[in-house]
Amino acid sequence: MIIRDYRVNDEIGWIRCRTLAFLQTAYFDNVLNKKERYENPAIELVAELDGQIVGLIDVEYEKEERTVCSKGTGLGGMIWHIAVHPDFYRRGIGEALLKEAEKRAIKLKLNRFEAWTRDDQWVQNWYEKMNFLKTESYYHIYFEGEQMDEIVNNKIPKLYLVNIFAHYIGNDIEQFRKANHRIHECVCYEKYFNV
Ligand SMILES: CC(C)(COP(=O)(O)OP(=O)(O)OC[C@H]1O[C@@H](n2cnc3c(N)ncnc32)[C@H](O)[C@@H]1OP(=O)(O)O)[C@@H](O)C(=O)NCCC(=O)NCCS
């Protein structure tokens, strides 16, 4: 297995790896059909085994404080994607990708990584094993079906809202649980480098 820079012709392998990895998580329907591009520079690495992309990490990073990360001081990097093909989970590939990204980040004079993930305990275990600290969280809510009118006062004629995706940053999440909405806690992890 080698860790190397992403190349343009890795795109299909990158998409397949990310889709399969995320199918096992609370992000199961967050499917991309193109590799993301970033406004700022990025560390974009893949893990390749026998010609197959089996892992990936994308970290967009700052040249100016707080242009990418949501908190912290100094220049940071945001992990937008980290994924390992499910046939290759728990073989150290995620850790190897993170370590290489960290090595490059330190050379680029970054002091930390930030990452957001949902409420998959095993994914959170991974971040914690990699020495990330949980800093805050809020909620992702998918409203579906007939309750829409109670939630949004839609005044556009002939427009019927069917699904709504919302961020909730308040303290009363219980009010939404009664109606059986799909709710995820979205958690921020941060790791300052020891240099
Ligand atoms: C999270 C992820 C990147 C970890 O990569 P990986 O190569 O499987 O993990 P590593 O081999 O580096 O680390 C394994 C450690 O992580 C934790 N871990 C990983 N998968 C786990 C699972 N299914 N159950 C419990 N702990 C798990 C454990 O601490 C494990 O150590 P152990 O095997 O000694 O118990 C990978 O599982 C993945 O792609 N997950 C889905 C995508 C995702 O959620 N990405 C991050 C959210 S943005």
Side-chain angles (χ1 to χ4, degrees):
M1 198 262 303
I2 54 163
I3 307 280
R4 61 164 175 80
D5 287 295
Y6 170 83
R7 300 179 200 129
V8 178
N9 59 3
D10 292 326
E11 187 165 21
I12 291 174
W14 189 98
I15 292 166
R16 286 184 180 156
C17 178
R18 183 188 175 281
T19 306
L20 289 173
F22 278 77
L23 271 180
Q24 325 277 322
T25 73
Y27 280 104
F28 62 90
D29 51 354
N30 179 242
V31 175
L32 300 182
N33 63 0
K34 283 192 211 98
K35 161 97 166 66
E36 203 164 342
R37 302 269 175 266
Y38 304 100
E39 273 177 36
N40 295 286
I43 300 165
E44 295 164 283
L45 305 174
V46 294
E48 182 187 331
L49 183 67
D50 298 331
Q52 184 185 0
I53 304 299
V54 294
L56 58 96
I57 186 168
D58 275 17
V59 182
E60 183 182 9
Y61 61 86
E62 297 175 330
K63 292 254 176 198
E64 246 179 82
E65 267 187 45
R66 301 294 284 275
T67 48
V68 178
C69 294
S70 69
K71 54 173 55 57
T73 50
L75 300 177
M78 177 72 89
I79 301 181
W80 287 120
H81 303 284
I82 175 148
V84 169
H85 188 298
D87 292 348
F88 301 89
Y89 280 167
R90 293 181 97 162
R91 297 191 197 177
I93 297 176
E95 182 171 11
L97 283 160
L98 180 71
K99 278 200 174 141
E100 180 59 26
E102 274 181 26
K103 210 164 88 187
R104 291 175 185 225
I106 290 165
K107 275 195 196 143
L108 289 160
K109 309 257 181 280
L110 308 185
N111 67 357
R112 70 188 184 290
F113 280 162
E114 178 177 329
W116 290 81
T117 191
R118 282 185 182 164
D119 36 15
D120 295 295
Q121 192 52 53
W122 60 282
V123 177
Q124 296 193 12
N125 290 348
W126 182 80
Y127 277 112
E128 285 163 26
K129 191 172 184 189
M130 300 299 126
N131 298 317
F132 281 78
L133 293 177
K134 207 183 263 191
T135 59
E136 64 171 295
S137 71
Y138 67 99
Y139 292 92
H140 289 173
I141 310 180
Y142 291 84
F143 294 99
E144 289 179 354
E146 291 164 12
Q147 309 92 345
M148 293 302 102
D149 293 337
E150 293 163 24
I151 296 163
V152 180
N153 191 6
N154 169 37
K155 297 207 170 71
I156 303 174
K158 299 197 174 182
L159 180 76
Y160 300 95
L161 297 174
V162 180
N163 296 327
I164 298 175
F165 172 66
H167 287 182
Y168 179 69
I169 59 168
N171 295 321
D172 184 14
I173 192 65
E174 293 310 318
Q175 66 184 303
F176 304 111
R177 294 206 195 272
K178 291 173 218 141
N180 221 11
H181 298 300
R182 176 178 158 204
I183 298 173
H184 295 291
E185 188 176 9
C186 186
V187 180
C188 183
Y189 277 99
E190 215 177 19
K191 176 177 185 175
Y192 277 82
F193 308 137
N194 296 318
V195 281

